[in-house]
Amino acid sequence: MSIRHGLLALLDQGPRYGYQLRTEFEARTGATWPLNVGQVYTTLGRLERDGLVEAAGEDDEGHQFYAVTDEGRVELRRWFDTPVPRTNPPRDELAIKLAMAVAIPGVDVAAVVHGQRRHSMQALQDYTRLKGRALAADTGSGGDLAWLLVLEQLIFQTEAEIRWLDHCESRLAQHAERTATAEPSEPAAAPPARRAVKSRDRGRT
Amino acid sequence: MTEQLKPADPVLHLDRVSRTHGHGAAEVHALRAVDLRVHPGELVAVMGPSGSGKSTLLTLAGGLDSPTDGRVIVEGTVLGDLDRKKLAAVRRRSVGYVFQDYNLIPALTAAENIALPRELDGTSARAARREALAALEELNIGELADRFPDDMSGGQQQRVAIARALIGDRRLVLADEPTGALDSTTGESVLAVLRARCDAGAAAMMVTHEARHAAWADRVVFLRDGLLVDETARQDAGSLLVTAATNARKDGDR
Ligand SMILES: Nc1ncnc2c1ncn2[C@@H]1O[C@H](COP(=O)(O)OP(=O)(O)OP(=O)(O)O)[C@@H](O)[C@H]1O
Ligand SMILES: [Mg+2]
């Protein structure tokens, strides 16, 4: 997630100081990705170093204002015009966990899947309740729309995860059936054969 | 768990309900000893793979089929104790049912389909029509009132079927895949209607394959091979986002 570009986008609407940026960032995104003021100042420092923002004076209370430069505007435009790369997927802890679970004897993979599905379903219920509230409170201001879009992204992503978990469950059941029918034919070689099938399956996920 | 400790009596109580089809080698255990209570104000979603017993659960709850073991209790009445006539009356008055395949009467218009159960219950034709029009309006299909089912799209028929289940003061609404034929935003508006009905005190149970739709429920139960294998907590401890979001709101208002 790009804090850099988020801050540039906010500064594009006029000069702001650090604490203000933090508050506005969280208001837009419903505090889904909380920022601390330290992160904001570090990022502003880098943006200034790169010539994308510049200091724009202080107010009476000593707040240091920042403004976007022409170069910063070009960079912001470029960000909006370029798709977010999806070809280099971030590490997913759940996928790693399941990949490990199928290879380690004694781990009840189905139980891992069920536990996760229950948890993800509850998260989805929570997000949906928030969405119901956001819809009810929608006053037509841009902030509400931004928050709704972020929430719905979480909803669709969690839904996708649950669908994948359902798929994992039936994949595991299918695999168990196949292993059960394959085993009696070669009783002596059963353990290595089983491991071979498992690693093949793992390669496919 | 003792019944007396419950805050309110369940509208629907499935008491160790089983349903077996066929005999001997052809025996199918569609449901096995399922225990489930749905309380006033509660929306329960039923999920599970195809053939896991979801529709069976719903038909038993609605008195359209009888369990081979266990009891189905609707608003304190054991359905198995009723004769056919009394059972039909409970089904008309207390239970609204949305079938997986809609089950609209082709010879009747949308409004007539919806008004029928009310008229059978003695409501005057005019009052029943007024209620039917209101139900259609609630589902944003008021303009379909005088159309016949064959002249509607699948999604429109589905919404008429839902309107028919919601009309009158049904305390229990049972819906089998009520959003199956609907696009994402229409499906959502139907769920909002169901949700509002439950928030107003009704109890509802709906079958769905879509997690995003199940998420509107207070509780999600999972069926597999006729067994209730899992369910989400009835009341969550609170969301990872709720407090953060409220704080952001407060900040934003400053
Ligand atoms: N009349 C019947 N005779 C024999 N078996 C039946 C009968 N009705 C249902 N079954 C079986 O009972 C099981 C549960 O069926 P049910 O219709 O409840 O599944 P479901 O979860 O609603 O599936 P779907 O998601 O496909 O609608 C299935 O194995 C089905 O074949
Ligand atoms: Mg079904």
Side-chain angles (χ1 to χ4, degrees), chain A residues 45 63 80 82 87 135 150 152:
Chain A
H63 293 127
F80 282 126
T82 319
T87 42
L135 285 173
V150 169
E152 288 183 322

Side-chain angles (χ1 to χ4, degrees), chain A residues 19 23 26 31 114 117-118 121-122 124-131 144 147 154-156 159 162 169, chain B residues 188 210-212 214-220 222 224 230-233 236 239 241 244 248-249 251 254:
Chain A
Y19 183 79
T23 308
E26 295 196 349
H114 285 166
R117 187 174 52 194
R118 192 190 320 119
M121 191 67 227
Q122 265 163 220
L124 189 55
Q125 284 173 272
D126 282 348
Y127 295 149
T128 305
R129 253 198 303 278
L130 287 179
K131 175 179 163 168
D144 291 327
W147 166 225
L154 291 171
I155 286 172
F156 276 89
E159 180 193 36
I162 292 169
E169 184 180 23
Chain B
E188 184 173 280
E210 292 207 51
R212 196 161 33 86
W216 286 80
D218 299 291
R219 193 149 55 104
V220 184
F222 298 93
R224 189 156 29 88
D230 206 356
E231 64 179 84
T232 65
D236 298 315
S239 135
L241 286 182
R249 278 293 135 112
D251 279 359
R254 267 213 300 257

Side-chain angles (χ1 to χ4, degrees), chain A residues 100-181:
Chain A
M100 295 301 161
V102 293
I104 294 174
V107 176
D108 185 346
V109 190
V112 174
V113 170
H114 285 166
Q116 184 66 47
R117 187 174 52 194
R118 192 190 320 119
H119 177 83
S120 300
M121 191 67 227
Q122 265 163 220
L124 189 55
Q125 284 173 272
D126 282 348
Y127 295 149
T128 305
R129 253 198 303 278
L130 287 179
K131 175 179 163 168
R133 248 179 266 162
L135 285 173
D138 191 6
T139 53
S141 86
D144 291 327
L145 179 62
W147 166 225
L148 200 56
L149 291 179
V150 169
L151 254 183
E152 288 183 322
Q153 194 261 359
L154 291 171
I155 286 172
F156 276 89
Q157 221 164 45
T158 312
E159 180 193 36
E161 180 171 287
I162 292 169
R163 287 179 64 179
W164 175 61
L165 287 166
D166 284 342
H167 181 77
C168 288
E169 184 180 23
S170 60
R171 174 68 78 219
L172 286 167
Q174 193 189 50
H175 177 76
E177 247 168 60
R178 235 187 286 143
T179 329
T181 48

Side-chain angles (χ1 to χ4, degrees), chain B residues 19 21-22 26 28-31 48-57 100 176-177 207 209 223:
Chain B
R19 178 67 169 100
H21 293 289
V28 179
H29 297 282
L31 279 185
S50 191
S52 58
K54 304 181 297 295
S55 293
T56 306
L57 187 76
Q100 200 164 2
D176 203 343
E177 291 273 355
V207 169
H209 279 289
L223 274 179

